[in-house]
């Protein structure tokens, strides 16, 4: 039996699988966003009598591939949290537009391993051209492009996640802070990395993975009444560390924190970091793509002063996971820290210095041709279409924030940022009502009609509404608002009943 499908069989099955995707996406509004499933149910459905892996054993004989679609309908869909559902408002969006799926199909068909320019010239250069174009479209400036006018020459790459982007930025920062000796000597315990309490946990993980230990992480204070980093507090912390013989290595400024969407003042932070020779990394994983819209570009103000800048195409820019965009102002920084070249990877193109080998811009050796799915999105929508997508969600968030302001018994828990609105319920006298806020969130999520997540702000439980799904429109936000309002009324009515 051949190990691969014939072209005719692939064509026939391909139509069936694409039809399944189209039907699934069309039917999403009628499905619960969160599945009513208990731990172990999926495994039991797969391993029970007559199931695909009955008794926990894999099948010995081949089965018709189209049967897999039936198993996905039976086992997978009913037990999946539906991230592409138009009423998914949790975490941040994970856009997987169907145009990006088609681009991913092309990438998989080519099956390229783009670790070196020589192993797939197209995979490398398409990515370079796309990232240069997006740097310009986002307003980052020419210094972040391969063809720009930066003193060292910059450039971008597509990482698997903002977490990986933060890690490689930290490794480059360690290498630079150590005068190029970090690769040989490692860390000495004096290194310090600066964040706020709102900074994404991936920075804390990067510090641990890099071998610095939790003591290297310095949590900097925020501007009074906000969750944004205070440049003055940063300056004080860095000066104190230097006086104590410690070495500032990296400052992470966040544009759109996960909890509340807070934006750190990059322009104010940059000179403080530079004064101590620290690498400035801007984590704009969710919010950075808003820079495509001129009227929203204020969120990335000062980014051109950073050493590295990251934003995710797979959150709000319609590109199926994984596709995190990382730019650096010095294109030699990552290879200097990360390049390890065994004999079997040596080749004439790399030795010439005329090409980029993206394996030196990341931790893994191997990499997929991610640029194709991003290209498919840009080709399908153009920058104008992407801006329309972003603007529609921002407008819906503005509307939701207005409804909250006008409704008794509910308040904004933080200033709205782009498509993120944080709210909480309060008592009749305006006091915090964490119990109602928590109960309303649980009620909405259990209903299956929508999904929201929470955070804690100033010790108070808060509902986050992240508007940004591929199919999410204002009508879905209106429906969520009605769920929140009626949920609060029901919770309060129940709590007001006399106890027997």
């Amino acid at each position: 039996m051949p190990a691969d499908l014939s072209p005719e069989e692939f064509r026939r099955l391909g139509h069936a699988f694409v039809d399944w995707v189209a039907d699934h996406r069309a039917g999403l509004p009628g499905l619960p966003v969160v599945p009513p499933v208990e731990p172990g149910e999926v495994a039991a459905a797969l391993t029970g009598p007559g199931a695909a892996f009955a008794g926990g054993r894999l099948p010995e004989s081949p089965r018709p591939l189209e049967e897999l679609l039936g198993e996905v309908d039976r086992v997978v869909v009913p037990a999946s949290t539906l991230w592409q559902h138009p009423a998914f408002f949790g975490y941040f969006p994970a856009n997987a537009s169907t145009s990006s799926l088609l681009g991913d199909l092309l990438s998989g068909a080519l099956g390229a391993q783009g670790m070196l320019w020589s192993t797939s010239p197209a995979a490398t250069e398409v990515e370079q051209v796309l990232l240069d174009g997006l740097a310009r479209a986002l307003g980052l400036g020419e210094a972040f492009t391969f063809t720009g006018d930066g003193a060292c020459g910059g450039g971008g790459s597509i990482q698997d996640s903002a977490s990986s982007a933060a890690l490689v930025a930290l490794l480059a920062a360690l290498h630079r802070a150590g005068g190029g000796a970090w690769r040989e000597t490692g860390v000495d315990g004096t290194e310090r990395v600066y964040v706020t309490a709102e900074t994404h946990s991936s920075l804390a993980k990067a510090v641990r993975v890099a071998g610095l230990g939790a003591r290297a992480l310095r949590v900097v204070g925020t501007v009074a009444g906000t969750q944004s980093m205070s440049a003055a507090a940063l300056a004080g912390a860095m000066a104190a560390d230097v006086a104590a013989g410690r070495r500032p290595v990296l400052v992470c400024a966040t544009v759109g924190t996960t909890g509340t969407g807070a934006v750190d003042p990059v322009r104010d932070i940059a000179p403080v970091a530079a004064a101590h020779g620290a690498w400035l990394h801007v984590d704009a994983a969710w919010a950075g793509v808003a820079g495509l819209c001129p009227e929203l570009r204020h969120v990335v103000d000062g980014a051109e002063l950073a050493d590295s800048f990251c934003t995710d195409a797979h959150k709000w820019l319609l590109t199926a996971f994984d596709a995190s965009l990382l730019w650096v102002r010095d294109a030699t920084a990552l290879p200097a820290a990360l390049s390890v070249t065994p004999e079997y990877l040596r080749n004439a193109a790399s030795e010439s210095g005329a090409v980029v080998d993206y394996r030196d811009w990341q931790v893994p050796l191997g990499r997929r041709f991610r640029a194709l799915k991003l290209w498919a999105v840009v080709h399908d929508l153009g920058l104008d279409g992407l801006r329309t997508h972003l603007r529609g969600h921002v407008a819906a968030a503005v509307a939701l924030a207005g409804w909250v302001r006008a409704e008794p018994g509910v308040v904004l828990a933080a200033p709205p940022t782009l498509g993120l609105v944080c709210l909480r319920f309060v008592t009749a006298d305006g006091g915090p009502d964490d119990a109602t806020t928590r109960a309303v969130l649980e009620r909405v999520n259990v209903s299956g009609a929508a999904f929201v997540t929470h955070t804690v702000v100033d010790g108070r439980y808060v509902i986050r509404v992240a508007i940004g799904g591929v199919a999410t429109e204002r009508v879905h936000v209106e429906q969520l608002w009605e769920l929140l309002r009626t949920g609060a009324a029901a919770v309060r009515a129940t709590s007001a009943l006399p106890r027997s």
Side-chain angles (χ1 to χ4, degrees):
M1 178 179 177
D4 204 1
L5 298 170
S6 69
E8 293 74 21
E9 276 295 279
F10 178 75
R11 182 175 289 109
R12 182 182 68 81
L13 289 167
H15 281 296
F17 276 60
V18 169
D19 284 345
W20 184 93
V21 172
D23 290 342
H24 172 70
R25 288 295 180 89
L28 279 175
L31 297 175
V33 187
V34 179
V37 63
E38 298 293 330
E41 283 189 24
V42 176
L46 287 172
T47 58
F53 308 124
R57 293 180 173 82
L58 301 182
E60 295 287 345
S61 302
R63 297 178 180 178
L65 196 52
E66 53 264 48
E67 290 183 4
L68 180 60
L69 295 176
E71 289 294 278
V72 170
D73 281 330
R74 182 181 72 88
V75 178
V76 176
V77 173
S80 292
T81 299
L82 300 176
W83 284 70
Q84 305 310 311
H85 197 291
F88 185 99
F89 298 101
Y91 306 108
F92 279 132
N95 285 183
S97 67
T98 48
S99 59
S100 76
L101 301 185
L102 295 175
D104 226 1
L105 177 63
L106 296 179
S107 175
L110 288 169
Q113 217 287 34
M115 57 186 176
L116 301 167
W117 179 91
S118 62
T119 62
S120 185
T124 298
E125 295 193 20
V126 167
E127 187 165 331
Q128 288 181 275
V129 171
L130 270 173
L131 270 291
D132 275 5
L134 281 169
R136 296 184 182 105
L138 289 168
L140 299 183
E142 290 295 318
F144 282 102
T145 67
F146 289 104
T147 57
D149 55 6
C152 301
S157 64
I158 305 178
Q159 305 282 326
D160 60 7
S161 64
S163 299
S164 290
L167 175 59
V168 297
L170 175 57
L171 299 180
L174 286 167
H175 189 63
R176 189 177 75 177
W182 168 77
R183 286 169 55 113
E184 306 301 326
T185 62
V187 300
D188 61 17
T190 65
E191 300 87 358
R192 292 296 181 267
V193 173
Y194 303 85
V195 299
T196 73
E198 293 291 308
T199 302
H200 195 272
S201 59
S202 60
L203 268 296
K205 182 176 285 189
V207 164
R208 288 167 172 78
V209 172
L212 303 183
R215 67 180 178 180
L217 201 66
R218 288 294 303 271
V219 178
V220 176
T222 55
V223 177
T226 77
Q227 284 78 46
S228 301
M229 181 183 288
S230 163
L234 174 65
M238 298 182 85
D241 280 339
V242 170
R246 303 183 184 103
R247 208 160 21 129
V249 171
L250 179 141
V251 177
C252 180
T254 305
V255 172
T257 60
T258 301
T260 64
V263 176
D264 291 338
V266 177
R267 189 169 297 281
D268 295 337
I269 290 168
V272 179
H276 294 284
W279 183 287
L280 176 57
H281 176 65
V282 176
D283 177 5
W286 160 63
V289 297
L292 290 177
C293 302
E295 74 276 14
L296 302 176
R297 196 163 290 167
H298 57 86
V299 299
V300 296
D301 178 57
E304 73 278 3
L305 304 174
D307 293 286
S308 54
F309 178 92
C310 172
T311 191
D312 290 346
H314 61 240
K315 280 191 170 68
W316 201 12
L317 207 63
L318 296 167
T319 305
F321 188 83
D322 52 1
S324 187
L325 315 180
L326 171 68
W327 288 271
V328 290
R329 278 199 292 128
D330 179 0
T332 67
L334 298 180
L338 299 170
S339 180
V340 177
T341 307
E343 186 59 36
Y344 54 80
L345 292 180
R346 297 189 181 278
N347 62 88
S350 297
E351 297 294 330
S352 74
V355 301
V356 168
D357 288 331
Y358 272 130
R359 56 113 184 181
D360 295 331
W361 290 56
Q362 60 182 34
V363 173
L365 173 62
R367 69 195 323 266
R368 299 186 296 111
F369 195 167
R370 295 187 186 97
L372 270 178
K373 60 186 173 185
L374 181 59
W375 186 4
V377 171
V378 173
H379 185 94
D380 181 44
L381 291 174
L383 292 177
D384 281 345
L386 293 173
R387 293 183 186 112
T388 298
H389 168 73
L390 298 170
R391 286 167 175 154
H393 291 147
V394 172
V398 169
L400 175 59
W403 302 332
V404 172
R405 292 187 182 99
E407 181 78 9
V410 60
V411 297
L412 293 172
T417 301
L418 302 173
L420 179 64
V421 178
C422 295
L423 58 92
R424 59 184 176 84
F425 291 92
V426 294
T427 60
D429 60 2
D433 192 350
D434 286 1
T436 295
T437 305
R438 185 188 298 269
V440 170
L441 178 142
E442 293 171 353
R443 188 182 183 94
V444 168
N445 290 349
V446 167
S447 75
F451 178 67
V452 291
T453 50
H454 81 280
T455 190
V456 173
V457 177
D458 297 330
R460 297 302 175 187
Y461 197 88
V462 170
I463 294 174
R464 299 171 65 261
V465 179
I467 303 167
V470 174
T472 302
E473 298 177 355
R474 178 175 167 129
V475 64
H476 303 108
V477 180
E478 292 171 348
Q479 291 166 357
L480 171 65
W481 174 236
E482 189 60 22
L483 285 172
L484 293 168
R485 290 178 67 252
T486 57
V491 168
R492 285 167 171 157
T494 300
S495 62
L497 290 175
R499 297 184 181 181
S500 58

